[in-house]
Structures are given as structure tokens and as C-alpha cells.
Amino acid sequence: MTATDRSLELITTAAQAAADKLAHDVIAYDVSDVLSITDAFLLASAPNDRQVKSIVDEIEERLSKELGVKPVRREGDREARWILLDYVDIVVHVQHSEERVFYALERLWKDCPELELPADAKATRGKGEEHAKLRAEEDAAEFGDPR
């Protein structure tokens, strides 16, 4: 079994929305063969809570306006460290970069096929690592650590 055309349409729209809000490391997996509750997962991250919330809001708005769908469940709003949007056909996970590294959802789903995403979403790959490296350099400079 593979993800439905509708699921792919939702994933593509959500991935583009995430990329437009400067999400990091956007990736999607077809989990339809291993889960009966959904077809696909979309993962994205951001370096701060505010941006996590902004990405989620944009995904929700786009999917509502363009495809007429609303999530049946939204979890994680309070702290905005990991927000989950459940659209039944797809589940969107937007995580703070630290949670993304800690929970490593990619590791759990690595055996599932990766779904094709828009070019803008693909271009986000490696942005999390790039941002972390830049932050480390800034911190080192601020605290006089000669790196």
C-alpha cells in the first residue's frame, strides 16, 4: 500500500508552507505500509519556539485555504517545542531543533520510503546543522572561546 494522491497533495502543500516560513530539514515519509492510522508523516524544525508556531500556523492556514482541510487534532501548543497536526491522512510534526535531535524521528521511519517534496522544501535540508554551527561560532566569539 502506498500513500494516496490526496495524502501526497496534503504533504506537498504542507511542505511548501513550512519551507516558506523558513523551516529546517523538511522531510516526509510514506508510513502507509507500517501504520494503519495515517499515510504519511511530514517532519520540520525551527531554531526557536516562535518560529515553530509560525510554521504550524502557516501550514494550517494553507491547508485550510487551498485544500479545505483542518486538523482533527493539534497538540503541543502550550510550549511550542513540538507541535503535532493530525489530518488523518497525514500527520505533521514541527519540532524545536533541540527536540528534533533528541527524538530523532527520522531514525524511527528510516525504512519507510521518502516522499518527493517541492524544491523549496528540499532546499531546507542541512539548515538545522548549519544554524547550530553558526550559533556555536557566535557563542564562542561572545564568550572569547577561540574556535
Side-chain angles (χ1 to χ4, degrees):
M1 192 161 144
T2 59
T4 65
D5 289 342
R6 178 65 172 169
S7 297
L8 296 175
E9 182 180 33
L10 294 168
I11 285 286
T12 299
T13 301
Q16 185 62 55
D20 290 347
K21 284 295 182 178
L22 306 178
H24 293 171
D25 303 311
V26 178
I27 192 166
Y29 294 100
D30 180 340
V31 296
S32 62
D33 283 342
V34 293
L35 293 176
S36 60
I37 57 171
T38 193
D39 282 348
F41 280 164
L42 179 72
L43 311 176
S45 54
N48 61 63
D49 304 350
R50 194 166 150 188
Q51 191 175 357
V52 166
K53 192 144 180 37
S54 177
I55 292 165
V56 167
D57 290 345
E58 183 68 14
I59 290 170
E60 269 193 296
E61 186 175 323
R62 283 270 186 95
L63 288 176
S64 178
K65 279 185 178 176
E66 295 177 17
L67 302 176
V69 296
K70 293 183 187 273
V72 295
R73 190 175 75 203
R74 180 176 171 151
E75 295 181 7
D77 268 335
R78 188 172 308 169
E79 295 179 25
R81 301 286 292 182
W82 180 350
I83 299 177
L84 178 144
L85 299 173
D86 183 351
Y87 286 91
V88 180
D89 294 327
I90 70 165
V91 175
V92 177
H93 299 269
V94 182
Q95 299 173 294
H96 188 287
S97 298
E98 292 169 3
E99 269 70 9
R100 179 86 178 255
V101 170
F102 182 79
Y103 290 102
L105 294 179
E106 289 93 336
R107 212 179 44 213
L108 291 173
W109 306 111
K110 70 178 186 244
D111 293 333
C112 295
E114 197 175 312
L115 294 172
E116 189 65 28
L117 296 176
D120 291 343
K122 285 184 194 174
T124 67
R125 304 280 171 84
K127 294 285 185 190
E129 187 176 332
E130 193 178 295
H131 183 267
K133 210 179 281 186
L134 183 61
R135 283 291 296 201
E137 290 170 5
E138 289 171 356
D139 289 348
E142 183 177 339
F143 296 109
D145 184 10
R147 287 192 182 173

